[in-house]
Amino acid sequence: MYSEPPLFEFRQVGVSIDDVVRLENLSFSAFRGEFVLLHGATGSGKTLVLEMLSGLRKPTEGEVIVAGDRINDYNELERRSLRRSMGILMQSGLLLDDRSVLENVLIPAVVAEESFREARARARIALEKCGLAALADLRPHELSAGQRQLAMLARAVVNRPALILADEPAAHLDDRNAQTLIDLLGMFAQAGVTVFLASHRIPRPRHVKVRVIELDAAARRE
């Protein structure tokens, strides 16, 4: 079905924490431009999968492959570089309230050593894509919960990533704001960005097919 190799792949990956097996024999892959849902109950290990994919945690066994590279043995510098190439939207994400929305969004571009002028331009484009251009000069506390989550998405995509990782991004939003966020992630998938979303719910983005990976089933695959 796909002529290109996967953007990322887990090969019989396992994780043990304090001698307790949390995940084992986890195998799956995702391709460019896919909207992929990692579905599982709360506590099933979804966040661990995202942490391994972003280089925040090493697997105990197996291999994690990203863009053809085995990242298990990456050093810390390589892991930071890997994360900069991704758009990461985690549950623990925060906005700095002593800075404007625009200043929050441009931070990853500055960290990636773009000029301030380029970083600012990218941040404005990201905010426009996320429907927040008119709110660029506000502080985060002046935004609604849905707007804050969209601002964090704008920050995640400011460096034009090929892959967006999202951990329960709509968990604390009402139905309307949750659908807005999911539809926006679907738009990025339509534009060729791979969206890998972990959730205990099944999102329904408009006009985009979601491929569901059941975490328990993926972990049992031989």
Side-chain angles (χ1 to χ4, degrees):
M1 183 172 61
Y2 291 94
S3 59
E4 298 181 354
L7 179 61
F8 67 82
E9 185 175 5
F10 279 54
R11 298 177 181 171
Q12 297 182 312
V13 169
V15 178
S16 296
I17 300 175
D18 296 329
D19 297 324
V20 176
V21 176
R22 294 291 305 278
L23 291 169
E24 59 182 340
N25 198 33
L26 186 63
S27 297
F28 63 88
S29 59
F31 295 81
R32 294 183 185 276
E34 277 198 294
F35 193 122
V36 180
L37 168 68
L38 183 67
H39 182 250
T42 300
S44 60
K46 300 184 299 296
T47 299
L48 290 176
V49 172
L50 296 185
E51 289 176 350
M52 285 187 287
L53 185 53
S54 60
L56 290 171
R57 181 183 297 274
K58 292 184 179 182
T60 307
E61 58 186 22
E63 295 181 306
V64 179
I65 311 295
V66 179
D69 291 335
R70 183 178 186 272
I71 69 169
N72 297 49
D73 301 322
Y74 271 14
N75 61 36
E76 186 54 37
L77 183 62
E78 290 170 321
R79 290 172 185 274
R80 286 200 298 267
S81 179
L82 174 70
R83 287 190 287 276
R84 288 174 188 171
S85 71
M86 301 175 174
I88 301 176
L89 189 60
M90 304 296 271
Q91 289 191 67
S92 58
L94 296 172
L95 298 171
L96 302 176
D97 211 38
D98 62 344
R99 305 187 186 193
S100 69
V101 172
L102 178 67
E103 290 168 335
N104 271 276
V105 172
L106 63 78
I107 290 173
V110 172
V111 171
E113 299 183 351
E114 295 291 347
S115 68
F116 186 79
R117 180 177 180 179
E118 175 65 17
R120 191 178 182 87
R122 284 193 182 189
R124 289 197 179 279
I125 292 171
L127 285 169
E128 184 174 354
K129 288 181 178 179
C130 293
L132 296 180
L135 307 181
D137 295 328
L138 297 183
R139 296 296 173 94
H141 73 269
E142 298 177 280
L143 304 181
S144 68
Q147 289 169 339
R148 285 194 295 273
Q149 198 71 349
L150 290 174
M152 285 189 280
L153 176 58
R155 184 175 61 188
V157 301
V158 71
N159 283 334
R160 304 166 187 167
L163 172 63
I164 295 174
L165 304 181
D167 188 8
E168 297 280 9
H172 304 296
L173 302 180
D174 60 35
D175 290 345
R176 179 181 177 184
N177 283 312
Q179 190 62 51
T180 296
L181 179 63
I182 294 301
D183 287 344
L184 189 55
L185 287 168
M187 289 175 58
F188 282 110
Q190 285 181 308
V193 179
T194 301
V195 176
F196 187 57
L197 188 153
S199 178
H200 67 284
R201 297 181 179 180
I202 306 286
R204 305 291 183 186
R206 294 182 177 90
H207 312 303
V208 177
K209 181 179 179 181
V210 177
R211 180 162 65 89
V212 180
I213 296 173
E214 294 291 347
L215 184 55
D216 290 342
R220 288 196 302 267
R221 188 176 304 158
E222 296 295 335

